[in-house]
Amino acid sequence: EAVNAPPQQAFAGYAPSLPTYTVTLDDNTLTLTNSSVSSASGGAFAYNGSAEGNTVTMSNSTVGSSEVSASVFGALLGKGTVTDNTVNMRKGSTVSETISGGSVITGTSSGNTVNVDDGSAKAIYGGSTGPVVTGMGIEAIGYYFITDETTTGDATGNTVNFKSGTAEAAAGGYTSDLTYTNASGDSVTLTSGNASGNTLNLSGGTISGNAYGGYSESGDAAGNTLTAAGSSTVTGSAYGGFTAKGSASDNVVTVTGGDIGSDGNELTGGRALVGEASGNSVTIEDGNFALVNGGATGPSATETAEMPEITDETTTGNATGNTVTIKGGTIVTAAGGRTGELSYTKTDGSSASLL
């Protein structure tokens, strides 16, 4: 336990061995009380292996600063599996960059949880795969732990419970692409995995950007859930599941209270920028909303995801079997399914559109 201490890094389990070695880091606990850590902190860190059941609890503590980017992880691996790790944020704690219950650059993140009772961070993920901002230079080893992987891996069954505080973005599960330079000096891209079965529960606090049950940059977003109640606020858009280039299916949004996307933004069960949207649903019992979609394909006016690479696609994709159920509240525009035209710039600089 660190009390009134200013360490550079704080990890309960730490095994920065050679990237080719495989280690196991389980059931470690880090508690930060009235503390300040200038770099990353977490329950466990290793380049290659597995991490399960690790816990970080913060109370009235700070990680990073306005000048220093630093993150908090229940567990952080370069390669492997992170499972059932937890971060608890309490009593006005602050993290300058990201909080993730379990994060792995390439591997699987499953069953991890972040509980935010009070505090602030730039981004909060229950579990995540792909590149991270650590504040400790994991990128400096040149990603040598990556061998024949083709994706960053799946984020499955992760959860964020957000009760009070602020964040710029939040997702139950988050998976993104990774572009890096390998040992031969070549640029290599791993596409993201799938985001499935993840949950974001909002019961208070403010998300100033977008909120997602599950987010995948290039894979599928399936069976993710977003719930909003009480005094929760999302200034940007909110999605049960979102993918830039994949299918969005069977994602669920339920709103019983709060202010979610009312300022000209959208509330959507499942959205695919380029792909299919099917079987997604939104249920609204109260609140004010500008745009509500059960499922949608094509662009969102507020989405900041990087434009996916367009190859042989000719349309943004179909929206099929999606549902919106309205039991109360005020809505400007609603659609069970929606498709839209996507304009983009080709690699040669010319403009094109998917219908």
Side-chain angles (χ1 to χ4, degrees):
E1 181 172 341
V3 180
N4 296 320
Q8 294 292 313
Q9 302 170 7
F11 282 88
Y14 189 78
S17 58
L18 292 174
T20 54
Y21 292 173
T22 300
V23 300
T24 299
L25 289 167
D26 294 346
D27 302 319
N28 300 287
T29 299
L30 171 67
T31 302
L32 299 173
T33 303
N34 301 324
S35 301
S36 177
V37 181
S38 61
S39 186
S41 63
F45 165 72
Y47 291 134
N48 189 358
S50 64
E52 181 175 355
N54 300 285
T55 301
V56 176
T57 299
M58 301 178 61
S59 296
N60 194 32
S61 294
T62 300
V63 175
S65 66
S66 58
E67 292 80 26
V68 178
S69 295
S71 298
V72 171
F73 308 92
L76 170 64
L77 293 181
K79 174 180 176 179
T81 59
V82 288
T83 307
D84 297 333
N85 302 286
T86 302
V87 174
N88 300 308
M89 192 178 198
R90 299 170 180 162
K91 296 182 180 180
S93 294
T94 301
V95 177
S96 66
E97 195 66 39
T98 301
I99 299 173
S100 180
S103 183
V104 60
I105 292 177
T106 175
T108 301
S109 176
S110 63
N112 303 288
T113 302
V114 174
N115 299 308
V116 182
D117 294 340
D118 187 27
S120 64
K122 183 175 289 186
I124 299 175
Y125 308 135
S128 54
T129 71
V132 294
V133 176
T134 65
M136 59 182 290
I138 190 173
E139 301 86 355
I141 64 171
Y143 296 111
Y144 296 151
F145 49 82
I146 298 176
T147 52
D148 56 354
E149 291 80 13
T150 58
T151 75
T152 57
D154 298 338
T156 305
N158 302 290
T159 302
V160 171
N161 298 309
F162 194 90
K163 296 180 180 180
S164 180
T166 60
E168 294 181 18
Y174 186 93
T175 172
S176 59
D177 297 353
L178 168 66
T179 298
Y180 70 101
T181 301
N182 65 15
S184 301
D186 301 320
S187 178
V188 178
T189 296
L190 304 184
T191 57
S192 72
N194 302 318
S196 61
N198 302 289
T199 301
L200 173 60
N201 294 314
L202 304 173
S203 57
T206 298
I207 308 298
S208 61
N210 293 344
Y212 312 87
Y215 176 102
S216 175
E217 187 170 349
S218 297
D220 297 334
N224 302 289
T225 300
L226 184 150
T227 66
S231 60
S232 56
T233 299
V234 177
T235 305
S237 293
Y239 306 89
F242 178 93
T243 173
K245 190 177 182 181
S247 65
S249 61
D250 302 320
N251 300 289
V252 176
V253 172
T254 302
V255 180
T256 60
D259 184 3
I260 312 299
S262 62
D263 188 19
N265 298 313
E266 71 171 289
L267 177 70
T268 298
R271 175 176 282 281
L273 292 186
V274 181
E276 304 291 315
S278 62
N280 304 288
S281 66
V282 175
T283 299
I284 294 173
E285 296 186 10
D286 193 17
N288 299 312
F289 307 91
L291 174 62
V292 177
N293 304 304
T297 68
S300 162
T302 62
E303 183 49 51
T304 58
E306 185 174 344
M307 182 65 199
E309 181 182 0
I310 305 299
T311 52
D312 56 354
E313 293 84 3
T314 57
T315 71
T316 55
N318 299 317
T320 307
N322 303 288
T323 304
V324 173
T325 301
I326 302 170
K327 299 180 179 180
T330 302
I331 300 168
V332 178
T333 304
R338 180 185 300 273
T339 64
E341 182 177 320
L342 179 64
S343 298
Y344 66 99
T345 302
K346 298 163 65 174
T347 54
D348 63 6
S350 61
S351 298
S353 295
L354 299 182
L355 302 178

